[in-house]
Structure formats: C-alpha cells, structure tokens
C-alpha cells in the first residue's frame, strides 16, 4: 500500500467500502484515485484503482441494461444514529428476539424458521446516543438474500448469532460462513479492505452464541469453539432472558467507534442531551461540517471544553475531537 495516504483518501476508501450500489462504488473509486498522492510508491495502487474503475464501470453498464428488462431487487436502509450493526444468523437463531430486546422495534417472533422475510431496523439506546440495529432474513446452505452483501458492507458491525438450542446451530454457522466466503463480503476481527483486492471487504464481527440459559447450551458452546475457532470477539447471551445483553449493548457501541460532542453559543449552555457523533479521529472541521456545511467553510476557531483540554481553550480546524467535548463554533 502506498505511503502518506491523505485523510481525504481514507475517507473516500471508507465510503467505497460502504457503497451499496455500483454507482456509489464508481464515484468513490474515482475520488480515491484523485486524492491519492502521485509518486513512485503509489504507482501500483494507482494502476489497481484504474483497473478496478474500468471493471466497475463495465459492471454498471451491464446492470443498467439488465434493469431495463427486470426490476431491481436491491434493498437499502438509510443509516441512522451513531452507527449500524447488522444482525445475521441461521434459522431460529433468535435475531428478531434480540432486536426486540435491545430496541423498541416490534418484529414478528415465532418458533419457526423464516419469520423475518425483509430487513427490519430498530434503534438501540446507549447512554445519550442510539445505534441502528437491523434484523435480517436467515442465511442457509440453500438461501441467502443477495442484498445482504450491500447491507453488511455499509454497516459498522455484524452481530453473528448462533443457536445453542439445536445440534444444527454449528452447521448453520458453518453454512453461513461458507456462503459469504464465496463472495467478496467477508467477516473479520476488524473492518478493512484487502490491500491486494480492493473489492474484497471485511466487516468487523462479534460472535454471539444465543440461548446460553438452556441446559445443553454450555456443552454446545464448547463444541462450537472447537468446530469454528473464529478470531472474533465472543459474547454468549440469552436474548429471551436477558443474560449478557448489557455487555453486548456496550460492545456494539464500542465497535462503531465514535466520539460524541456537544455545542453551545456564547450566551447559552450546551445541549447535553443531544450529542452529535463523529468517527474517532475526526477533527473540528469535520464537527463543524456535521452541524452545517457553511460552518466548515467559514470556520475560524472554536472554544472547547472537555476532559482532555482546559476550559474555553481556543482550538483550530485540525483539533482532534475527544469524546464528550463541547464546542462553541466561531466563523
């Protein structure tokens, strides 16, 4: 990978990984190429990007011709809250039960497979922010909705549920992993694009064995660990009884990796019940743009309050935002 990649390139790379349509892929690939530093060390990556843009444009042209003959089957869920986590699993793993336990959503819950037929979002509260959780149809050896790949690439996290109430639970997990390993949408300990193949995307995943409260669950959990030694964080739970849910709620929030900030004016107190959220590592100019694009364009400085700074300190555009900072923006 080329050295000295700019923040603008990294942002475009993240948007490309999240792209849910081919049009979005093309747009962000072109931004990546434009923002890449042009020097000898980046020549290989420049060449790979140009080839990827060419292939993707051909895919787009083919898709447009196909759409004229058949309606699109894609599904897109607008991002809300501090981040998005996709709940994924086999039949009867407890995905809808988990969504109901962690959010105010009211999914249909029944003890038979394929109760969920379309993605259903809900908002999970964590302190003063919310994270979007999305329940999805089950994945089996014979069935997987194609739009799931786009949802997963656009998400911050996959919550991979495993059924500990059935001897089939381990096989269902293996079948699910095999289905996705045959695609370019994979699961990982962290989120990244493969440096050798920019189309290969890994999304951070938490393994969540469900129904840990049942009698045979501890034995099945040990069998699961032997049969599927995965390098993901693991959090056993009972979505029905509530075991492990506070820990899972915190783990989901930590995984989206954001910081909160609050705003005030020179004459008002900060609105501490309505934070904005930004990716960790974002700067003051990113915060200003989130409030209003014009603020970013005209930003002079901000006065800041927080745990890592003296009260009312003057900070500039490149100041890195810390969790729970308070800003008084001056333009």
């Amino acid at each position: 990978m080329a050295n000295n990649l700019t923040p603008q390139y990294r942002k475009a790379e993240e948007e490309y990984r999240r792209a849910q349509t081919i049009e979005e892929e093309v747009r962000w690939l072109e931004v990546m190429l434009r923002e890449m530093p042009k020097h000898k060390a980046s020549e290989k990556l420049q060449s790979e990007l140009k080839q990827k843009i060419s292939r993707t444009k051909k895919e787009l042209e083919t898709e447009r011709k196909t759409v004229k003959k058949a309606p699109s089957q894609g599904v897109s869920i607008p991002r809300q809250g501090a981040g998005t986590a996709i709940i994924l699993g086999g039949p009867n793993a407890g995905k809808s039960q988990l969504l109901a336990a962690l959010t105010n959503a009211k999914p249909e819950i029944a003890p038979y497979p394929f109760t969920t037929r379309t993605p259903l979002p809900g908002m999970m509260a964590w302190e003063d922010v919310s994270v979007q959780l999305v329940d999805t149809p089950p994945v089996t050896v014979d069935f997987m909705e194609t739009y799931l790949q786009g949802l997963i690439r656009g998400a911050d996290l996959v919550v991979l549920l495993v059924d500990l109430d059935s001897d089939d639970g381990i096989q269902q997990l293996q079948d699910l992993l095999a289905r996705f390993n045959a695609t370019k949408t994979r699961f990982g300990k962290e989120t990244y694009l493969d440096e050798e193949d920019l189309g290969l995307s890994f999304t951070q995943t938490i393994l969540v064995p469900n129904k840990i409260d049942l009698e045979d669950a501890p034995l099945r959990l040990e069998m699961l660990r032997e049969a599927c030694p995965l390098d993901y964080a693991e959090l056993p739970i009972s979505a029905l009884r509530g075991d492990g849910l506070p820990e899972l709620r915190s783990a989901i929030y930590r995984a989206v990796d954001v910081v909160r900030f609050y705003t005030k004016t020179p004459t008002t107190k900060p609105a501490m019940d309505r934070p904005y959220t930004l990716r960790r590592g974002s700067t003051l100019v990113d915060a200003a743009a989130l409030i209003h694009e014009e603020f970013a364009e005209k930003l002079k400085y901000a006065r800041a309050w927080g745990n890592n700074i003296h009260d009312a300190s003057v900070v500039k555009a490149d100041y890195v935002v810390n969790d729970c900072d308070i800003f008084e923006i001056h333009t």
Side-chain angles (χ1 to χ4, degrees), residues 284-290 292-300 317 329-331:
L284 176 62
V285 71
D286 298 318
L290 188 61
H292 197 287
E293 288 185 6
E294 188 175 333
F295 285 6
E297 295 170 359
K298 298 182 178 180
L299 177 66
K300 293 180 180 177
I329 304 289
H330 291 260
T331 59

PDB file of all heavy atoms in Angstrom, residues 284-290 292-300 317 329-331:
ATOM      1  N   LEU A 284     -12.036  19.118  14.237  1.00  0.00           N
ATOM      2  CA  LEU A 284     -13.002  20.190  14.461  1.00  0.00           C
ATOM      3  C   LEU A 284     -13.715  20.580  13.164  1.00  0.00           C
ATOM      4  O   LEU A 284     -14.914  20.844  13.169  1.00  0.00           O
ATOM      5  CB  LEU A 284     -12.297  21.414  15.056  1.00  0.00           C
ATOM      6  CG  LEU A 284     -13.178  22.659  15.250  1.00  0.00           C
ATOM      7  CD1 LEU A 284     -14.314  22.375  16.243  1.00  0.00           C
ATOM      8  CD2 LEU A 284     -12.340  23.847  15.708  1.00  0.00           C
ATOM      9  N   VAL A 285     -13.002  20.605  12.046  1.00  0.00           N
ATOM     10  CA  VAL A 285     -13.652  20.981  10.787  1.00  0.00           C
ATOM     11  C   VAL A 285     -14.699  19.940  10.397  1.00  0.00           C
ATOM     12  O   VAL A 285     -15.746  20.277   9.817  1.00  0.00           O
ATOM     13  CB  VAL A 285     -12.612  21.192   9.658  1.00  0.00           C
ATOM     14  CG1 VAL A 285     -12.004  19.878   9.206  1.00  0.00           C
ATOM     15  CG2 VAL A 285     -13.246  21.919   8.488  1.00  0.00           C
ATOM     16  N   ASP A 286     -14.470  18.658  10.724  1.00  0.00           N
ATOM     17  CA  ASP A 286     -15.484  17.623  10.489  1.00  0.00           C
ATOM     18  C   ASP A 286     -16.704  17.875  11.359  1.00  0.00           C
ATOM     19  O   ASP A 286     -17.850  17.707  10.916  1.00  0.00           O
ATOM     20  CB  ASP A 286     -14.921  16.235  10.793  1.00  0.00           C
ATOM     21  CG  ASP A 286     -13.755  15.858   9.898  1.00  0.00           C
ATOM     22  OD1 ASP A 286     -13.830  16.136   8.686  1.00  0.00           O
ATOM     23  OD2 ASP A 286     -12.781  15.281  10.413  1.00  0.00           O
ATOM     24  N   ALA A 287     -16.458  18.278  12.605  1.00  0.00           N
ATOM     25  CA  ALA A 287     -17.567  18.576  13.510  1.00  0.00           C
ATOM     26  C   ALA A 287     -18.385  19.759  12.996  1.00  0.00           C
ATOM     27  O   ALA A 287     -19.614  19.742  13.001  1.00  0.00           O
ATOM     28  CB  ALA A 287     -17.031  18.870  14.914  1.00  0.00           C
ATOM     29  N   ALA A 288     -17.693  20.799  12.530  1.00  0.00           N
ATOM     30  CA  ALA A 288     -18.388  21.973  12.007  1.00  0.00           C
ATOM     31  C   ALA A 288     -19.229  21.611  10.782  1.00  0.00           C
ATOM     32  O   ALA A 288     -20.360  22.073  10.624  1.00  0.00           O
ATOM     33  CB  ALA A 288     -17.370  23.059  11.649  1.00  0.00           C
ATOM     34  N   ALA A 289     -18.679  20.757   9.904  1.00  0.00           N
ATOM     35  CA  ALA A 289     -19.409  20.349   8.702  1.00  0.00           C
ATOM     36  C   ALA A 289     -20.642  19.540   9.050  1.00  0.00           C
ATOM     37  O   ALA A 289     -21.659  19.607   8.344  1.00  0.00           O
ATOM     38  CB  ALA A 289     -18.493  19.539   7.786  1.00  0.00           C
ATOM     39  N   LEU A 290     -20.574  18.770  10.135  1.00  0.00           N
ATOM     40  CA  LEU A 290     -21.724  17.970  10.550  1.00  0.00           C
ATOM     41  C   LEU A 290     -22.868  18.863  11.017  1.00  0.00           C
ATOM     42  O   LEU A 290     -24.045  18.555  10.789  1.00  0.00           O
ATOM     43  CB  LEU A 290     -21.301  17.008  11.669  1.00  0.00           C
ATOM     44  CG  LEU A 290     -22.321  15.955  12.098  1.00  0.00           C
ATOM     45  CD1 LEU A 290     -22.679  15.037  10.931  1.00  0.00           C
ATOM     46  CD2 LEU A 290     -21.772  15.131  13.263  1.00  0.00           C
ATOM     47  N   HIS A 292     -23.277  22.174  10.029  1.00  0.00           N
ATOM     48  CA  HIS A 292     -23.732  22.881   8.813  1.00  0.00           C
ATOM     49  C   HIS A 292     -22.522  23.053   7.892  1.00  0.00           C
ATOM     50  O   HIS A 292     -21.438  23.425   8.357  1.00  0.00           O
ATOM     51  CB  HIS A 292     -24.333  24.246   9.168  1.00  0.00           C
ATOM     52  CG  HIS A 292     -25.155  24.832   8.066  1.00  0.00           C
ATOM     53  ND1 HIS A 292     -24.606  25.363   6.923  1.00  0.00           N
ATOM     54  CD2 HIS A 292     -26.503  24.959   7.930  1.00  0.00           C
ATOM     55  CE1 HIS A 292     -25.571  25.803   6.133  1.00  0.00           C
ATOM     56  NE2 HIS A 292     -26.732  25.563   6.716  1.00  0.00           N
ATOM     57  N   GLU A 293     -22.695  22.777   6.619  1.00  0.00           N
ATOM     58  CA  GLU A 293     -21.577  22.889   5.675  1.00  0.00           C
ATOM     59  C   GLU A 293     -20.944  24.284   5.696  1.00  0.00           C
ATOM     60  O   GLU A 293     -19.739  24.432   5.575  1.00  0.00           O
ATOM     61  CB  GLU A 293     -22.055  22.557   4.258  1.00  0.00           C
ATOM     62  CG  GLU A 293     -22.346  21.090   4.031  1.00  0.00           C
ATOM     63  CD  GLU A 293     -22.703  20.792   2.595  1.00  0.00           C
ATOM     64  OE1 GLU A 293     -22.616  21.714   1.759  1.00  0.00           O
ATOM     65  OE2 GLU A 293     -23.074  19.642   2.304  1.00  0.00           O
ATOM     66  N   GLU A 294     -21.770  25.310   5.864  1.00  0.00           N
ATOM     67  CA  GLU A 294     -21.258  26.680   5.858  1.00  0.00           C
ATOM     68  C   GLU A 294     -20.334  26.930   7.041  1.00  0.00           C
ATOM     69  O   GLU A 294     -19.381  27.697   6.944  1.00  0.00           O
ATOM     70  CB  GLU A 294     -22.422  27.670   5.872  1.00  0.00           C
ATOM     71  CG  GLU A 294     -22.005  29.116   5.685  1.00  0.00           C
ATOM     72  CD  GLU A 294     -23.193  30.039   5.596  1.00  0.00           C
ATOM     73  OE1 GLU A 294     -24.270  29.579   5.168  1.00  0.00           O
ATOM     74  OE2 GLU A 294     -23.049  31.226   5.962  1.00  0.00           O
ATOM     75  N   PHE A 295     -20.598  26.262   8.177  1.00  0.00           N
ATOM     76  CA  PHE A 295     -19.728  26.417   9.342  1.00  0.00           C
ATOM     77  C   PHE A 295     -18.319  25.929   9.027  1.00  0.00           C
ATOM     78  O   PHE A 295     -17.334  26.530   9.456  1.00  0.00           O
ATOM     79  CB  PHE A 295     -20.291  25.639  10.531  1.00  0.00           C
ATOM     80  CG  PHE A 295     -21.477  26.293  11.191  1.00  0.00           C
ATOM     81  CD1 PHE A 295     -22.067  27.422  10.657  1.00  0.00           C
ATOM     82  CD2 PHE A 295     -22.003  25.764  12.357  1.00  0.00           C
ATOM     83  CE1 PHE A 295     -23.155  28.025  11.270  1.00  0.00           C
ATOM     84  CE2 PHE A 295     -23.088  26.361  12.989  1.00  0.00           C
ATOM     85  CZ  PHE A 295     -23.671  27.493  12.435  1.00  0.00           C
ATOM     86  N   ALA A 296     -18.219  24.820   8.299  1.00  0.00           N
ATOM     87  CA  ALA A 296     -16.905  24.290   7.949  1.00  0.00           C
ATOM     88  C   ALA A 296     -16.170  25.228   7.001  1.00  0.00           C
ATOM     89  O   ALA A 296     -14.958  25.438   7.124  1.00  0.00           O
ATOM     90  CB  ALA A 296     -17.054  22.910   7.322  1.00  0.00           C
ATOM     91  N   GLU A 297     -16.899  25.798   6.055  1.00  0.00           N
ATOM     92  CA  GLU A 297     -16.286  26.691   5.070  1.00  0.00           C
ATOM     93  C   GLU A 297     -15.783  27.977   5.715  1.00  0.00           C
ATOM     94  O   GLU A 297     -14.734  28.513   5.325  1.00  0.00           O
ATOM     95  CB  GLU A 297     -17.301  27.027   3.980  1.00  0.00           C
ATOM     96  CG  GLU A 297     -17.714  25.813   3.137  1.00  0.00           C
ATOM     97  CD  GLU A 297     -18.891  26.123   2.229  1.00  0.00           C
ATOM     98  OE1 GLU A 297     -19.386  27.276   2.272  1.00  0.00           O
ATOM     99  OE2 GLU A 297     -19.323  25.214   1.492  1.00  0.00           O
ATOM    100  N   LYS A 298     -16.497  28.484   6.707  1.00  0.00           N
ATOM    101  CA  LYS A 298     -16.162  29.769   7.316  1.00  0.00           C
ATOM    102  C   LYS A 298     -15.497  29.640   8.688  1.00  0.00           C
ATOM    103  O   LYS A 298     -15.280  30.649   9.364  1.00  0.00           O
ATOM    104  CB  LYS A 298     -17.427  30.619   7.443  1.00  0.00           C
ATOM    105  CG  LYS A 298     -18.072  30.956   6.100  1.00  0.00           C
ATOM    106  CD  LYS A 298     -19.296  31.839   6.291  1.00  0.00           C
ATOM    107  CE  LYS A 298     -19.919  32.227   4.950  1.00  0.00           C
ATOM    108  NZ  LYS A 298     -21.115  33.101   5.130  1.00  0.00           N
ATOM    109  N   LEU A 299     -15.168  28.423   9.097  1.00  0.00           N
ATOM    110  CA  LEU A 299     -14.630  28.186  10.433  1.00  0.00           C
ATOM    111  C   LEU A 299     -13.349  28.974  10.689  1.00  0.00           C
ATOM    112  O   LEU A 299     -12.410  28.925   9.896  1.00  0.00           O
ATOM    113  CB  LEU A 299     -14.353  26.684  10.615  1.00  0.00           C
ATOM    114  CG  LEU A 299     -13.728  26.277  11.940  1.00  0.00           C
ATOM    115  CD1 LEU A 299     -14.681  26.517  13.106  1.00  0.00           C
ATOM    116  CD2 LEU A 299     -13.304  24.803  11.890  1.00  0.00           C
ATOM    117  N   LYS A 300     -13.322  29.687  11.779  1.00  0.00           N
ATOM    118  CA  LYS A 300     -12.114  30.379  12.227  1.00  0.00           C
ATOM    119  C   LYS A 300     -11.469  29.614  13.379  1.00  0.00           C
ATOM    120  O   LYS A 300     -10.285  29.302  13.353  1.00  0.00           O
ATOM    121  CB  LYS A 300     -12.442  31.801  12.669  1.00  0.00           C
ATOM    122  CG  LYS A 300     -12.891  32.718  11.524  1.00  0.00           C
ATOM    123  CD  LYS A 300     -13.193  34.117  12.050  1.00  0.00           C
ATOM    124  CE  LYS A 300     -13.639  35.051  10.920  1.00  0.00           C
ATOM    125  NZ  LYS A 300     -13.999  36.404  11.439  1.00  0.00           N
ATOM    126  N   ALA A 317      -8.947  24.211  13.251  1.00  0.00           N
ATOM    127  CA  ALA A 317      -9.650  23.243  12.409  1.00  0.00           C
ATOM    128  C   ALA A 317      -9.103  21.831  12.543  1.00  0.00           C
ATOM    129  O   ALA A 317      -9.854  20.853  12.415  1.00  0.00           O
ATOM    130  CB  ALA A 317      -9.586  23.683  10.945  1.00  0.00           C
ATOM    131  N   ILE A 329     -18.592  27.245  18.337  1.00  0.00           N
ATOM    132  CA  ILE A 329     -18.023  27.463  16.999  1.00  0.00           C
ATOM    133  C   ILE A 329     -18.029  28.958  16.666  1.00  0.00           C
ATOM    134  O   ILE A 329     -19.026  29.646  16.849  1.00  0.00           O
ATOM    135  CB  ILE A 329     -18.816  26.695  15.928  1.00  0.00           C
ATOM    136  CG1 ILE A 329     -18.866  25.202  16.262  1.00  0.00           C
ATOM    137  CG2 ILE A 329     -18.233  26.938  14.558  1.00  0.00           C
ATOM    138  CD1 ILE A 329     -17.571  24.469  16.109  1.00  0.00           C
ATOM    139  N   HIS A 330     -16.901  29.434  16.140  1.00  0.00           N
ATOM    140  CA  HIS A 330     -16.801  30.821  15.691  1.00  0.00           C
ATOM    141  C   HIS A 330     -16.436  30.848  14.198  1.00  0.00           C
ATOM    142  O   HIS A 330     -15.471  30.200  13.778  1.00  0.00           O
ATOM    143  CB  HIS A 330     -15.746  31.584  16.500  1.00  0.00           C
ATOM    144  CG  HIS A 330     -16.136  31.813  17.929  1.00  0.00           C
ATOM    145  ND1 HIS A 330     -16.637  33.000  18.384  1.00  0.00           N
ATOM    146  CD2 HIS A 330     -16.128  30.954  18.993  1.00  0.00           C
ATOM    147  CE1 HIS A 330     -16.905  32.900  19.689  1.00  0.00           C
ATOM    148  NE2 HIS A 330     -16.596  31.663  20.076  1.00  0.00           N
ATOM    149  N   THR A 331     -17.209  31.592  13.426  1.00  0.00           N
ATOM    150  CA  THR A 331     -16.971  31.690  11.976  1.00  0.00           C
ATOM    151  C   THR A 331     -16.650  33.118  11.575  1.00  0.00           C
ATOM    152  O   THR A 331     -16.787  34.049  12.360  1.00  0.00           O
ATOM    153  CB  THR A 331     -18.206  31.221  11.191  1.00  0.00           C
ATOM    154  OG1 THR A 331     -19.337  32.028  11.562  1.00  0.00           O
ATOM    155  CG2 THR A 331     -18.508  29.765  11.483  1.00  0.00           C
TER     156      THR A 331
END
